[in-house]
Amino acid sequence: MTQTTEFPHSEQEKVDSWRLHVLIEAGYPSELAEKLAHSDADLHQAVELITAGCSHETAAAILL
């Protein structure tokens, strides 16, 4: 019998994972999404910039 151990994720890991999901849903390329998700960038502003027509690269440059 094989037993797998699952470690609970920290709250910060859960938040970062959710942020990454939201950013990818907004169309950010995964590399930029990961940088933003793990930063102090405002998530709502990140999505609003894209909605307003800003490119993902420019939005990331503004936020980071």
Side-chain angles (χ1 to χ4, degrees):
M1 176 180 213
T2 304
Q3 181 179 8
T4 59
T5 305
E6 291 186 30
F7 296 97
H9 294 288
S10 72
E11 288 303 310
Q12 187 60 50
E13 289 173 322
K14 290 177 186 177
V15 170
D16 288 349
S17 177
W18 172 74
R19 286 172 55 90
L20 179 62
H21 174 77
V22 170
L23 292 163
I24 289 174
E25 287 291 313
Y28 280 89
S30 50
E31 184 177 316
L32 285 178
E34 286 186 31
K35 286 180 184 178
L36 287 167
H38 298 292
S39 75
D40 291 331
D42 184 297
L43 182 64
H44 295 101
Q45 189 176 26
V47 174
E48 287 174 5
L49 285 168
I50 300 309
T51 303
C54 194
S55 75
H56 297 103
E57 292 76 16
T58 301
I62 291 168
L63 296 164
L64 296 172

